[in-house]
Amino acid sequence: LIGAVAAEMPLSWPDEALKAQAVAAHSYVLYCRDHATAANGAWLSADPARRQGYLTDAVLHSYWGTDYEANYARLSSLVDSVLGDVLCYDVAAAGTSYFALSNGRTEASQNVWEQTLPYLQGVDSPTDRTNPDCEAHFTLTRPQMEHLLAVAFPDYALTDNPSDWFGAQEYTDAGYVARIQVAGQWVRGTVLRRVLALRSACFSIEWQPTEEQFILTTWGYGHGVGLSQYGAHTMAA
């Protein structure tokens, strides 16, 4: 749990935020234990490519250097203070997922993982929208976008006009893209987020013909389900 909290939040954040993260990580691990199969492997992973993870003691030594002893003691004390606290639903540990920053409202589990969990439904997290990291912009050239779409959707026929590549969008109640038309075919917003490596499934795509590029704007950071870490930071502060 110490490694999980250290992997998920900066130590500069308030104690109450770090404690909230510890409870969420603890509950999540127990949920994964209860639902583990041979196929899905470990409850948490030290591999940063995995969705939820932790930092090993060796990595913490490397990251913290001479501050290791003080930082470890602080996190150890905070984790100990909430070690008996587990979030449950129906007398079992809940799948308390977490992510960095919402678009101002968290997302429902079924819109991301196709599993409806009553305790993972959208709630307002309004201060997330005021965070300077909430809105982000980046560009893709026509060849870059064409390559990404061709690899992901080899059967889709792209026209010679890039303004036709993306069409209508439908949104979830929380304002994330539920699905979007790509070359006339409906694609889930979470799928296109993965294909284009977007920070969030709350996004817009605009073709700029004069610059021969697409401008992509995202709001939030992460899958959007469960605990908004920046929201926890604001509440702790």
Side-chain angles (χ1 to χ4, degrees):
L1 285 177
I2 291 170
V5 174
E8 293 292 339
M9 284 186 176
L11 262 68
S12 59
W13 283 20
D15 287 356
E16 294 303 313
L18 297 170
K19 288 160 65 177
Q21 179 61 58
V23 173
H26 190 183
S27 307
Y28 178 82
V29 165
L30 296 179
Y31 176 87
C32 290
R33 176 202 64 187
D34 295 343
H35 296 80
T37 66
N40 62 25
W43 308 338
L44 287 181
S45 171
D47 178 359
R50 295 286 291 274
R51 186 168 65 243
Q52 271 97 2
Y54 67 95
L55 300 179
T56 65
D57 196 57
V59 171
L60 292 179
H61 269 284
S62 174
Y63 277 8
W64 291 340
T66 57
D67 293 327
Y68 173 86
E69 295 295 340
N71 288 346
Y72 192 93
R74 179 186 172 212
L75 277 188
S76 180
S77 175
L78 292 175
V79 169
D80 283 348
S81 71
V82 294
L83 200 55
D85 298 329
V86 175
L87 289 166
C88 296
Y89 179 81
D90 216 8
V91 302
T96 51
S97 56
Y98 36 88
F99 64 98
L101 179 67
S102 78
N103 67 353
R105 185 171 176 82
T106 66
E107 182 59 288
S109 62
Q110 64 269 22
N111 293 331
V112 177
W113 301 312
E114 298 183 358
Q115 181 183 15
T116 302
L117 295 172
Y119 52 85
L120 288 180
Q121 300 302 302
V123 298
D124 289 332
S125 190
T127 57
D128 287 3
R129 196 73 187 223
T130 64
N131 188 294
D133 290 329
C134 183
E135 184 173 324
H137 308 269
F138 76 101
T139 62
L140 288 174
T141 65
R142 172 178 174 159
Q144 289 173 328
M145 181 67 81
E146 190 169 16
H147 172 73
L148 291 172
L149 296 179
V151 170
F153 314 111
D155 297 331
Y156 289 12
L158 297 175
T159 69
D160 291 333
N161 185 357
S163 65
D164 296 334
W165 293 359
F166 300 100
Q169 296 182 203
E170 295 179 354
Y171 300 90
T172 68
D173 290 342
Y176 298 82
V177 176
R179 60 180 191 158
I180 179 174
Q181 285 189 327
V182 179
Q185 306 294 318
W186 285 106
V187 174
R188 291 190 64 192
T190 52
V191 171
L192 192 61
R193 178 202 171 200
R194 183 173 64 251
V195 168
L196 301 182
L198 301 176
R199 286 164 48 113
S200 166
C202 182
F203 61 82
S204 68
I205 303 174
E206 179 187 357
W207 168 246
Q208 283 194 322
T210 56
E211 303 294 332
E212 284 282 310
Q213 65 182 12
F214 291 90
I215 293 182
L216 298 99
T217 303
T218 59
W219 293 269
Y221 197 169
H223 52 66
V225 181
L227 173 73
S228 163
Q229 291 161 329
Y230 277 93
H233 172 276
T234 300
M235 295 182 73

